[in-house]
Every structure is written in structure tokens, then in C-alpha cells.
């Protein structure tokens, strides 16, 4: 059979890259190949429309196996990952009950926040009937209490006889205050870090120095930004700890990367692969052996692209994000509940979040194949390209004093915030799509009543100040859809829902296409949309609009017909409603000359345009 296949392939002449490009250029009919087909990513490199075997020759990581240095294909010979869920509760017994409930339903990694006044008796209650040899425990606490809680927790593990087989973390992130509030950690970080290491050193499986780059992700950082700064963050820990006397292995073994995952499916997959490779090289440079160069990575789905409106779309976003991380071979994943942005997640949303991972692991069997992306010409090139850009950013940070020094100046925060502003601009112009928010909204959905009061991430004004008094710039955690949500919430709060009437006339295909575009456009502000099949005359359409008490009349036709229909419709309306032309026809200047001001098309800023309409209609 094999010989027959070989003879079959021999019948076909190999096709060179030049031949493929020549054929593509013929099909492009004179259009520029680079402008039409080459994708310039926000991460700072180009992506070709196709890749071939020759494109992966010479890549330094090609040829390594899973579990081999520099670990681009994974740090282990299996693809098992842990399913994590954050556990809440008012009392230790509440936390225990909720943890057991989650564990019984498939979770094997839990996150728990402990207060500074926790006691040994509390820990016994919290972990009652939980097998600490099988369940990973990740503790978060106020930064100033980390050492105290670590000592208490380690003593508890020793008394329980679980210290040798325990795996988990204590999330010590003294840089969080600078990132979130622009203020420095009030104590000496190095002294605190050494005291923390001394507290946990007898439990080999307990990491304590966090690289929480998911914070950068949630502030809108691009993929290479998150990775480059995460590497610099990890290197800051390595330098600080080794200078204080710890060996490279002692330091590296206690560092854990908690990274975000955006919805850029293949790019995120490649990010984790390139991150393991670069981190291995960094730790190796400190003199560590290969085993200590393995990157410990927990991944958490993004909050930046979650939305309040059409919130079930968050399930689609978090599912692709979870798949990216699972296929990339991370150690653990937390899939956030779809309703997190407007309320405290309930049993249903937490269950769905758990089941998303269980489906991938138990039914899709993504845990059965190690690095399925290995050898893919596309993903291997993405891995290399992301690594190159992220390494350049890492080098720049190191050359300018290191991660902590730049944090204290606010430069890292400023850089990430600029990316966030750019992404908000792209969302406003629909260059970045949020399904159900800035494109194809549910016209009749209301969200005001479902937003719970209190500490939430919704668009109701409850957010951290960008700059704290006496501090430097902090990260801005405005989600991508927050401005559109604020716009639509303003419409709801006004108690008045403007009516938008589609005056469809003329060319059938164009009027239908432009009516759909216009409906989606104004639906993003929560306006009532009145669509129509078509009218025989402009007067008939205007009369129908007035019968409906329309606030806005949108003329939907073809560019060639606008020269006739638009002035007539504008005159018929005579100021009784706002008049909008759907499109950017060649006769736009002539139409503007007769007083027509508003045109909507793919090049306008959707958000800015709708804000102006809100200002006129809701006041």
C-alpha cells in the first residue's frame, strides 16, 4: 500500500512557492498581494496567507520533543491540565461546602481567598474532607498578610502530613498596587520575599512568587505585550531572589505565571508555546539546570472582551480561549463564568464554566495529545514571530532598569493603557468586533435590571481611578465593550427609546443590505428599529415613518439613486425627524449642500456617531 501511494505522489510534480504566488497574483487580478492577503497584526509582525515546509526550516525549536528543553512543546509528556474554580464563602464551613461541591463536579484545582485573621481551626474547617494530595490549592490574600498566612498554611500541611505531596500556590504580588492603584508596596519587597520563601521552603510543591500578567490582558494589552512584560516580571523575581542569596533553581521553582487568554485563537496558542521557550532561556542564563527551567503556567480567560449585553456570547469567547490554553499545554485553567461582569456568578454560571473544560477534557479528549500544534507551519511561525517581538520588549525593559523600575515610573502601565485605548478605538470603528455589542446586537434586550449593585465590572461608573493621589499612572480596566454598554444603558435610563425607521426604496439588493447595516448600527444604542420591505415612492415612505412617530429616518437605497431620492426625502421630512443617508455616495457633497448632514457607513466611528445621536434625542 505504501509503495502504491509513493508511486501516486510521483505522478505529480512539486509546486514551488513561486508558482503558488504566481497563481495567486493571477487570481488577484492586479490587486496588491501584500495589501490584500498579508495580515499586519497588532502584535507587530506580518502573517502570510500560506506557509510551507521551507518556512519552518531553521526555526531553533523545531525538532524538540514534548518535555525537552526549551519546552516549546510542553514541560511534560502528557497534556493533562487542572480545572480551577475560585471558591467563595462567608464562613470557613461555607467555603468548605462550596469547595466540596465544585470538586464533586470535576474541579481539581481551587482558589481560596484567606483573610489576615484566619486561624488553624479555620483551615481545618475549610479543608475538611478535601484530599490535599490530589486537589491543588491556590491561596490569595492581602499582600501584607502573605508571610503570616504562608507560615500558618505550611504548619497546617505538616501537621496533616500533606507537605510532601501537596501542590498549590500563595499569590504574592507586591507589584499589584502599582499596577492597579499607582502606589508602591508599603514594605521592602526583597525582605518580604525572603521571609515568604523561608516560610514555604519545606513544601516543594508550593509556589509563592506570582507573575499576574492576566492583569495586563484585562487592561487591553496585546499578546506580545503581555508576554514580554510577563518575562520581565519573572526576571525581576529571579534577579531579586538570586541577589539575595537563593540559587537559580530555588528561585525559579517558586515562580508561577498567571496569564490571561484573549480570543485570538491561534496567536494565544502560540503565545504559551513561545513563553515556555523564552522563560527556559532566561532561567538557564541564571545557571539553573534544565528541570528548573520549566515554566509553571496557570491561564485564565479574559475579562477585557466580556460583555453585559448578549452575555451568553461570553460562553463562545471563553470556550475558544480555554481551547487555546488547553492545546498549548498549560498546567491549569480557570474559565470565568459568563455573567461575571454584572453580578456575582450563581450556581448555573459556575456549573457551565466548569463544564466547558470538562467537555474539552472528557469528551473532546484534548488532554490525550501533547502539543497537537507541533509541526504546523502556521503555528510554528506564529510561535517564532511572537517570541521575537516579546523578546525585543523584554530586552527593552531590561536595558531601561527592569520591570520594577519601569513600574515605579508608570511606563509599563502607560504602554498597556495606550494599547487599551487603541483597542477601544478599534471597537468603536468595528475594526474589532464584539458580537452582540458593537455588531449584530439584540435590539430588544435590556440589561439595567440585571446589573447587581456593589463591586462589579459593569459600565455603571464603579472603577478604579486611573491615577491615585501621590502615585503614578495605573492600569485602566475598562472592558472593550464598556463604552457601548454605557451608551445603551443611558438609553435605558432615559425611559425613552428613540425609533429608527428604515425608508427602503429603489435597488432591491442595496436597500436590503443597507437596511440591515443601519439596523445593526442604531441597534447598538438600544433604539427601536422599524425595518421595511420597500416603498414605491419617497412620499409613501415618509408618510409611513411619520405614522410610526419615527425620531430618525434612514434612507436605504443605492448610490446611483441617492441623488434623486435623498433631497426629496429630506424636503418631505421638513425637520419632523432626523434624516440619515446609509452610505457614502459619490454625490455626498451635493447632498450636503442641500442641508443633509448625517451619513452612516463602514468608515464612520460608530460609537462617536451614536453618542451624538443620544445627546440630541435623550436630552
Amino acid at each position: 500500500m505504501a509503495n502504491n501511494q509513493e508511486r501516486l505522489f510521483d505522478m505529480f510534480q512539486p509546486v514551488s512557492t513561486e508558482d503558488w504566488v504566481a497563481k495567486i497574483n493571477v487570481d488577484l487580478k492586479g490587486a496588491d498581494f501584500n495589501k490584500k492577503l498579508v495580515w499586519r497584526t497588532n502584535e507587530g509582525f506580518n502573517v502570510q496567507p500560506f506557509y510551507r515546509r521551507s518556512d519552518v526550516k531553521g526555526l531553533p525549536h523545531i525538532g524538540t520533543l514534548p518535555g525537552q528543553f526549551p519546552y516549546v512543546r510542553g514541560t511534560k509528556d502528557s497534556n493533562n491540565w487542572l480545572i480551577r474554580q475560585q471558591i467563595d464563602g462567608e464562613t470557613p464551613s461555607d467555603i468548605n461546602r462550596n469547595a466540596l461541591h465544585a470538586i464533586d463536579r470535576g474541579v481539581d484545582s481551587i482558589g481560596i481567598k484567606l483573610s489576615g485573621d484566619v486561624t488553624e481551626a479555620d483551615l481545618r474547617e475549610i479543608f475538611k474532607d478535601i484530599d490535599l494530595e490530589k486537589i491543588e490549592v491556590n491561596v490569595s490574600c492581602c499582600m501584607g498578610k502573605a508571610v503570616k498566612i504562608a507560615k500558618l498554611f505550611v504548619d497546617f500541611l505538616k501537621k496533616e502530613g500533606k507537605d510532601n505531596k501537596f501542590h498549590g500556590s500563595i499569590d504574592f504580588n507586591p507589584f499589584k498596587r502599582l499596577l492597579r492603584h499607582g502606589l508602591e508596596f508599603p514594605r521592602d519587597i526583597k525582605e518580604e520575599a525572603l521571609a515568604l520563601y523561608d516560610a514555604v521552603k519545606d513544601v516543594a510543591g508550593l509556589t509563592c512568587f506570582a507573575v499576574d500578567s492576566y492583569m495586563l490582558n484585562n487592561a487591553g494589552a496585546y499578546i506580545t505585550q503581555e508576554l514580554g512584560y510577563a518575562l520581565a516580571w519573572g526576571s525581576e523575581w529571579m534577579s531579586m531572589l538570586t541577589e539575595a542569596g537563593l540559587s537559580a533553581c530555588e528561585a525559579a521553582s517558586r515562580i508561577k505565571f498567571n496569564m490571561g487568554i484573549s480570543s485570538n485563537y491561534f496567536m494565544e496558542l502560540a503565545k504559551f508555546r513561545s513563553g515556555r521557550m523564552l522563560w527556559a532561556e532566561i532561567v538557564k542564563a541564571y545557571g539553573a539546570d534544565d528541570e528548573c527551567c520549566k515554566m509553571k503556567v496557570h491561564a485564565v480567560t479574559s475579562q477585557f472582551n466580556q460583555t453585559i449585553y448578549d452575555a451568553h456570547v461570553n460562553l463562545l469567547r471563553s470556550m475558544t480561549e480555554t481551547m487555546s490554553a488547553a492545546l498549548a499545554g498549560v498546567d491549569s485553567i480557570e474559565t470565568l463564568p459568563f455573567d461575571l461582569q454584572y453580578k456575582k456568578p450563581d450556581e448555573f454560571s459556575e456549573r457551565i464554566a466548569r463544564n466547558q473544560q470538562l467537555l474539552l477534557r472528557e469528551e473532546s479528549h484534548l488532554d490525550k495529545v501533547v502539543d497537537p500544534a507541533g509541526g504546523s507551519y502556521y503555528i510554528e511561525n506564529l510561535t517564532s514571530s511572537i517570541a521575537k517581538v516579546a523578546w525585543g520588549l523584554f530586552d527593552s525593559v531590561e536595558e531601561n532598569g527592569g520591570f520594577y523600575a519601569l513600574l515605579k515610573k508608570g511606563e509599563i502601565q502607560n504602554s498597556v493603557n495606550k494599547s487599551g485605548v487603541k483597542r477601544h478605538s478599534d471597537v468603536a470603528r468595528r475594526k474589532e468586533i464584539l458580537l452582540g455589542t458593537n455588531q449584530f446586537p439584540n435590539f430588544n434586550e435590556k440589561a439595567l435590571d440585571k446589573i447587581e449593585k456593589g463591586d462589579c465590572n459593569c459600565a455603571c461608573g464603579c472603577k478604579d481611578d486611573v491615577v491615585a493621589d501621590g502615585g503614578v499612572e495605573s492600569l485602566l480596566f475598562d472592558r472593550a465593550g464598556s463604552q457601548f454598554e454605557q451608551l445603551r444603558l443611558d438609553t435605558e435610563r432615559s425611559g425613552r427609546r428613540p425609533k429608527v425607521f428604515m425608508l427602503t426604496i429603489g435597488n432591491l439588493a442595496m436597500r436590503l443590505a443597507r437596511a440591515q447595516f443601519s439596523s445593526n448600527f442604531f441597534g447598538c444604542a438600544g433604539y427601536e428599529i422599524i425595518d421595511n420591505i420597500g416603498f414605491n415612492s419617497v412620499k409613501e415612505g415618509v408618510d409611513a415613518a411619520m405614522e410610526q412617530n419615527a425620531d430618525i429616518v434612514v434612507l436605504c437605497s443605492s448610490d446611483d439613486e441617492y441623488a434623486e431620492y435623498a433631497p426629496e426625502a429630506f424636503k418631505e421630512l421638513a425637520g419632523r425627524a432626523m434624516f440619515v443617508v446609509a452610505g457614502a455616495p459619490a454625490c455626498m457633497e451635493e447632498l450636503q449642500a442641500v442641508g443633509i448632514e448625517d451619513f452612516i457607513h463602514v468608515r464612520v466611528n460608530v460609537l462617536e456617531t451614536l453618542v451624538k445621536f443620544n445627546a440630541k434625542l435623550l436630552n
Side-chain angles (χ1 to χ4, degrees):
M1 185 66 180
N3 289 334
N4 289 337
Q5 287 180 341
E6 289 173 7
R7 286 197 296 271
L8 176 64
F9 290 133
D10 287 341
M11 296 172 63
F12 298 93
Q13 293 297 317
V15 181
S16 68
T17 300
E18 290 73 22
D19 290 337
W20 278 113
V21 172
K23 172 58 178 171
I24 292 170
N25 281 326
V26 170
D27 292 341
L28 286 174
K29 299 178 181 179
D32 187 279
F33 178 92
N34 290 319
K35 290 182 178 179
K36 275 287 184 180
L37 298 180
V38 176
W39 170 32
R40 180 65 180 179
T41 70
N42 289 318
E43 281 67 27
F45 57 87
N46 291 337
V47 175
Q48 298 298 320
F50 69 96
Y51 290 93
R52 312 191 73 211
R53 182 181 299 176
S54 58
D55 292 309
V56 300
K57 288 182 178 178
L59 296 183
H61 60 273
I62 296 298
T64 60
L65 297 174
Q68 288 184 347
F69 184 91
Y71 309 116
V72 67
R73 303 199 61 197
T75 58
K76 49 191 184 294
D77 57 5
S78 71
N79 196 34
N80 289 324
W81 75 88
L82 301 178
I83 300 174
R84 185 190 294 188
Q85 180 178 322
Q86 190 66 28
I87 307 298
D88 293 321
E90 296 295 328
T91 66
S93 59
D94 289 340
I95 296 174
N96 175 259
R97 182 178 60 256
N98 294 337
L100 289 173
H101 177 79
I103 292 167
D104 184 57
R105 284 152 179 77
V107 164
D108 38 29
S109 174
I110 57 176
I112 297 175
K113 185 169 184 177
L114 297 179
S115 62
D117 57 355
V118 67
T119 65
E120 183 179 327
D122 292 333
L123 293 181
R124 292 191 183 281
E125 182 66 25
I126 288 171
F127 298 110
K128 181 182 178 182
D129 298 326
I130 295 176
D131 190 341
L132 295 177
E133 294 182 1
K134 295 180 180 179
I135 303 300
E136 182 186 73
V137 177
N138 303 277
V139 176
S140 60
C141 59
C142 294
M143 290 303 99
K145 305 294 184 180
V147 175
K148 176 184 176 182
I149 289 177
K151 290 178 178 178
L152 183 68
F153 190 53
V154 168
D155 287 343
F156 168 74
L157 290 174
K158 287 180 177 179
K159 289 178 181 178
E160 293 291 310
K162 305 295 185 181
D163 51 314
N164 290 328
K165 296 184 179 180
F166 173 83
H167 285 88
S169 66
I170 292 176
D171 188 47
F172 178 60
N173 177 7
F175 306 116
K176 181 181 289 186
R177 277 168 56 91
L178 275 167
L179 288 165
R180 186 171 287 278
H181 301 293
L183 298 173
E184 286 200 59
F185 185 67
R187 304 182 187 179
D188 186 284
I189 294 179
K190 184 181 292 187
E191 288 184 6
E192 199 82 359
L194 288 176
L196 183 59
Y197 175 80
D198 190 59
V200 304
K201 64 182 180 183
D202 292 336
V203 182
L206 183 55
T207 61
C208 56
F209 303 120
V211 176
D212 290 334
S213 66
Y214 69 86
M215 297 178 67
L216 311 180
N217 177 286
N218 287 338
Y222 291 120
I223 286 172
T224 48
Q225 261 187 322
E226 183 193 359
L227 180 56
Y229 287 136
L231 295 171
W233 193 336
S235 181
E236 186 73 41
W237 278 127
M238 289 295 296
S239 297
M240 186 181 297
L241 296 169
T242 53
E243 288 172 6
L246 272 64
S247 70
C249 275
E250 287 173 331
S253 65
R254 304 293 175 169
I255 297 173
K256 188 168 191 175
F257 288 77
N258 301 303
M259 305 185 74
I261 328 164
S262 75
S263 292
N264 199 328
Y265 184 76
F266 291 110
M267 296 273 281
E268 284 291 348
L269 201 164
K271 177 188 77 177
F272 291 108
R273 299 174 88 247
S274 58
R276 284 193 299 263
M277 176 175 64
L278 297 178
W279 179 245
E281 297 290 352
I282 290 171
V283 177
K284 193 73 172 178
Y286 281 89
D289 58 41
D290 286 1
E291 184 66 23
C292 296
C293 295
K294 293 180 177 180
M295 190 185 205
K296 299 178 180 67
V297 185
H298 169 65
V300 56
T301 56
S302 180
Q303 294 190 55
F304 183 75
N305 59 13
Q306 285 197 331
T307 59
I308 295 174
Y309 287 93
D310 217 347
H312 288 96
V313 180
N314 292 332
L315 292 168
L316 303 179
R317 299 180 182 113
S318 61
M319 193 64 170
T320 62
E321 292 165 2
T322 302
M323 285 181 67
S324 294
L327 292 172
V330 302
D331 300 301
S332 59
I333 305 173
E334 181 181 4
T335 303
L336 297 177
F338 72 89
D339 55 358
L340 178 65
Q341 301 310 320
Y342 57 88
K343 60 177 289 189
K344 182 179 180 180
D346 55 24
E347 166 57 24
F348 174 76
S349 61
E350 288 182 342
R351 173 189 168 213
I352 294 298
R354 289 192 300 268
N355 287 350
Q356 286 179 266
Q357 292 197 55
L358 290 171
L359 282 169
L360 296 179
R361 191 167 72 178
E362 305 299 335
E363 297 193 28
S364 300
H365 305 299
L366 298 192
D367 62 328
K368 298 297 189 289
V369 180
V370 185
D371 190 30
S376 162
Y377 305 150
Y378 175 51
I379 297 176
E380 295 291 9
N381 273 276
L382 285 184
T383 300
S384 180
S385 296
I386 289 172
K388 182 177 180 181
V389 176
W391 188 259
L393 180 57
F394 166 76
D395 268 346
S396 176
V397 173
E398 294 297 294
E399 289 172 1
N400 286 280
F403 182 77
Y404 187 29
L406 293 188
L407 270 188
K408 289 189 287 186
K409 295 178 181 179
E411 292 185 14
I412 290 174
Q413 300 92 311
N414 178 262
S415 176
V416 172
N417 285 342
K418 284 181 178 178
S419 297
V421 169
K422 172 62 166 58
R423 293 187 67 184
H424 275 89
S425 175
D426 287 346
V427 170
R429 295 176 179 276
R430 285 182 175 167
K431 292 182 179 180
E432 185 171 336
I433 299 299
L434 287 173
L435 189 65
T437 299
N438 73 341
Q439 183 70 289
F440 303 118
N442 181 342
F443 301 152
N444 297 316
E445 181 183 8
K446 293 185 178 180
L448 196 59
D449 292 341
K450 74 180 182 181
I451 297 174
E452 294 183 353
K453 305 299 181 183
D455 184 17
C456 65
N457 296 311
C458 66
C460 54
C462 49
K463 61 184 180 182
D464 293 318
D465 293 332
V466 179
V467 182
D469 292 339
V472 296
E473 183 173 357
S474 61
L475 292 178
L476 181 60
F477 293 103
D478 274 350
R479 291 174 295 104
S482 61
Q483 292 169 311
F484 273 94
E485 291 166 355
Q486 186 65 59
L487 177 78
R488 194 160 176 178
L489 288 170
D490 286 344
T491 302
E492 285 191 44
R493 292 189 184 100
S494 73
R496 180 176 182 272
R497 194 179 178 201
K499 294 182 178 181
V500 183
F501 186 92
M502 302 298 153
L503 200 169
T504 51
I505 189 170
N507 182 284
L508 178 63
M510 290 305 301
R511 78 191 190 203
L512 292 178
R514 281 177 163 158
Q516 182 183 46
F517 172 84
S518 302
S519 296
N520 286 326
F521 190 102
F522 286 102
C524 293
Y527 295 172
E528 180 181 345
I529 307 299
I530 306 172
D531 201 357
N532 299 282
I533 297 175
F535 297 96
N536 294 318
S537 68
V538 167
K539 186 177 187 311
E540 180 186 346
V542 171
D543 289 344
M546 292 301 95
E547 287 179 9
Q548 295 281 352
N549 296 316
D551 298 286
I552 301 173
V553 175
V554 184
L555 181 64
C556 302
S557 188
S558 66
D559 286 0
D560 293 338
E561 294 169 300
Y562 278 142
E564 174 188 353
Y565 292 143
E568 182 183 355
F570 183 66
K571 183 177 180 181
E572 284 286 342
L573 279 172
R576 291 180 289 172
M578 299 180 70
F579 181 63
V580 177
V581 173
C587 62
M588 185 184 294
E589 290 186 4
E590 289 82 354
L591 299 182
Q592 290 172 330
V594 299
I596 300 172
E597 299 178 349
D598 295 312
F599 299 81
I600 59 171
H601 47 84
V602 294
R603 294 189 298 277
V604 305
N605 187 308
V606 181
L607 180 67
E608 287 183 1
T609 303
L610 292 176
V611 167
K612 291 177 182 177
F613 277 106
N614 255 16
K616 294 176 181 178
L617 294 169
L618 303 184
N619 292 334

PDB file of all heavy atoms in Angstrom, residues 458-471:
ATOM      1  N   CYS A 458     -19.102  46.371  35.708  1.00  0.00           N
ATOM      2  CA  CYS A 458     -20.029  46.818  34.685  1.00  0.00           C
ATOM      3  C   CYS A 458     -19.762  48.277  34.312  1.00  0.00           C
ATOM      4  O   CYS A 458     -18.929  48.943  34.893  1.00  0.00           O
ATOM      5  CB  CYS A 458     -21.468  46.651  35.155  1.00  0.00           C
ATOM      6  SG  CYS A 458     -21.881  47.714  36.552  1.00  0.00           S
ATOM      7  N   ALA A 459     -20.543  48.752  33.370  1.00  0.00           N
ATOM      8  CA  ALA A 459     -20.373  50.117  32.890  1.00  0.00           C
ATOM      9  C   ALA A 459     -21.234  51.093  33.674  1.00  0.00           C
ATOM     10  O   ALA A 459     -21.956  51.899  33.121  1.00  0.00           O
ATOM     11  CB  ALA A 459     -20.728  50.172  31.408  1.00  0.00           C
ATOM     12  N   CYS A 460     -21.168  51.002  34.975  1.00  0.00           N
ATOM     13  CA  CYS A 460     -22.016  51.888  35.794  1.00  0.00           C
ATOM     14  C   CYS A 460     -21.168  52.833  36.645  1.00  0.00           C
ATOM     15  O   CYS A 460     -21.626  53.335  37.652  1.00  0.00           O
ATOM     16  CB  CYS A 460     -22.939  51.055  36.678  1.00  0.00           C
ATOM     17  SG  CYS A 460     -22.107  49.833  37.708  1.00  0.00           S
ATOM     18  N   GLY A 461     -19.926  53.037  36.227  1.00  0.00           N
ATOM     19  CA  GLY A 461     -19.109  54.033  36.893  1.00  0.00           C
ATOM     20  C   GLY A 461     -18.262  53.539  38.040  1.00  0.00           C
ATOM     21  O   GLY A 461     -17.517  54.319  38.640  1.00  0.00           O
ATOM     22  N   CYS A 462     -18.351  52.251  38.381  1.00  0.00           N
ATOM     23  CA  CYS A 462     -17.580  51.752  39.527  1.00  0.00           C
ATOM     24  C   CYS A 462     -16.262  51.175  39.034  1.00  0.00           C
ATOM     25  O   CYS A 462     -16.181  50.033  38.632  1.00  0.00           O
ATOM     26  CB  CYS A 462     -18.375  50.701  40.296  1.00  0.00           C
ATOM     27  SG  CYS A 462     -19.074  49.412  39.253  1.00  0.00           S
ATOM     28  N   LYS A 463     -15.222  51.979  39.020  1.00  0.00           N
ATOM     29  CA  LYS A 463     -13.921  51.521  38.569  1.00  0.00           C
ATOM     30  C   LYS A 463     -12.834  52.283  39.317  1.00  0.00           C
ATOM     31  O   LYS A 463     -13.059  53.330  39.903  1.00  0.00           O
ATOM     32  CB  LYS A 463     -13.768  51.733  37.059  1.00  0.00           C
ATOM     33  CG  LYS A 463     -13.879  53.191  36.630  1.00  0.00           C
ATOM     34  CD  LYS A 463     -13.814  53.317  35.128  1.00  0.00           C
ATOM     35  CE  LYS A 463     -13.936  54.772  34.699  1.00  0.00           C
ATOM     36  NZ  LYS A 463     -13.919  54.936  33.251  1.00  0.00           N
ATOM     37  N   ASP A 464     -11.622  51.712  39.278  1.00  0.00           N
ATOM     38  CA  ASP A 464     -10.504  52.347  39.966  1.00  0.00           C
ATOM     39  C   ASP A 464     -10.128  53.644  39.277  1.00  0.00           C
ATOM     40  O   ASP A 464     -10.278  53.804  38.069  1.00  0.00           O
ATOM     41  CB  ASP A 464      -9.286  51.416  39.962  1.00  0.00           C
ATOM     42  CG  ASP A 464      -9.525  50.169  40.794  1.00  0.00           C
ATOM     43  OD1 ASP A 464     -10.103  50.303  41.877  1.00  0.00           O
ATOM     44  OD2 ASP A 464      -9.139  49.078  40.347  1.00  0.00           O
ATOM     45  N   ASP A 465      -9.615  54.587  40.050  1.00  0.00           N
ATOM     46  CA  ASP A 465      -9.071  55.798  39.454  1.00  0.00           C
ATOM     47  C   ASP A 465      -7.857  55.444  38.628  1.00  0.00           C
ATOM     48  O   ASP A 465      -7.092  54.550  38.952  1.00  0.00           O
ATOM     49  CB  ASP A 465      -8.657  56.801  40.544  1.00  0.00           C
ATOM     50  CG  ASP A 465      -9.861  57.338  41.298  1.00  0.00           C
ATOM     51  OD1 ASP A 465     -10.952  57.397  40.705  1.00  0.00           O
ATOM     52  OD2 ASP A 465      -9.685  57.691  42.474  1.00  0.00           O
ATOM     53  N   VAL A 466      -7.679  56.166  37.524  1.00  0.00           N
ATOM     54  CA  VAL A 466      -6.518  55.907  36.670  1.00  0.00           C
ATOM     55  C   VAL A 466      -5.237  56.294  37.395  1.00  0.00           C
ATOM     56  O   VAL A 466      -4.241  55.596  37.339  1.00  0.00           O
ATOM     57  CB  VAL A 466      -6.649  56.691  35.344  1.00  0.00           C
ATOM     58  CG1 VAL A 466      -5.440  56.444  34.468  1.00  0.00           C
ATOM     59  CG2 VAL A 466      -7.918  56.293  34.619  1.00  0.00           C
ATOM     60  N   VAL A 467      -5.243  57.399  38.098  1.00  0.00           N
ATOM     61  CA  VAL A 467      -4.061  57.861  38.827  1.00  0.00           C
ATOM     62  C   VAL A 467      -4.448  58.098  40.283  1.00  0.00           C
ATOM     63  O   VAL A 467      -5.369  58.863  40.570  1.00  0.00           O
ATOM     64  CB  VAL A 467      -3.499  59.164  38.220  1.00  0.00           C
ATOM     65  CG1 VAL A 467      -2.255  59.602  38.961  1.00  0.00           C
ATOM     66  CG2 VAL A 467      -3.180  58.972  36.736  1.00  0.00           C
ATOM     67  N   ALA A 468      -3.764  57.427  41.190  1.00  0.00           N
ATOM     68  CA  ALA A 468      -4.024  57.627  42.613  1.00  0.00           C
ATOM     69  C   ALA A 468      -3.268  58.860  43.097  1.00  0.00           C
ATOM     70  O   ALA A 468      -2.253  59.248  42.531  1.00  0.00           O
ATOM     71  CB  ALA A 468      -3.572  56.394  43.391  1.00  0.00           C
ATOM     72  N   ASP A 469      -3.757  59.483  44.154  1.00  0.00           N
ATOM     73  CA  ASP A 469      -3.092  60.651  44.713  1.00  0.00           C
ATOM     74  C   ASP A 469      -1.677  60.288  45.137  1.00  0.00           C
ATOM     75  O   ASP A 469      -1.459  59.345  45.894  1.00  0.00           O
ATOM     76  CB  ASP A 469      -3.872  61.172  45.920  1.00  0.00           C
ATOM     77  CG  ASP A 469      -5.214  61.760  45.519  1.00  0.00           C
ATOM     78  OD1 ASP A 469      -5.363  62.117  44.331  1.00  0.00           O
ATOM     79  OD2 ASP A 469      -6.108  61.864  46.381  1.00  0.00           O
ATOM     80  N   GLY A 470      -0.709  61.043  44.651  1.00  0.00           N
ATOM     81  CA  GLY A 470       0.679  60.803  45.018  1.00  0.00           C
ATOM     82  C   GLY A 470       1.315  59.633  44.316  1.00  0.00           C
ATOM     83  O   GLY A 470       2.463  59.289  44.597  1.00  0.00           O
ATOM     84  N   GLY A 471       0.613  59.016  43.386  1.00  0.00           N
ATOM     85  CA  GLY A 471       1.137  57.840  42.709  1.00  0.00           C
ATOM     86  C   GLY A 471       1.400  58.100  41.241  1.00  0.00           C
ATOM     87  O   GLY A 471       1.380  59.228  40.762  1.00  0.00           O
TER      88      GLY A 471
END
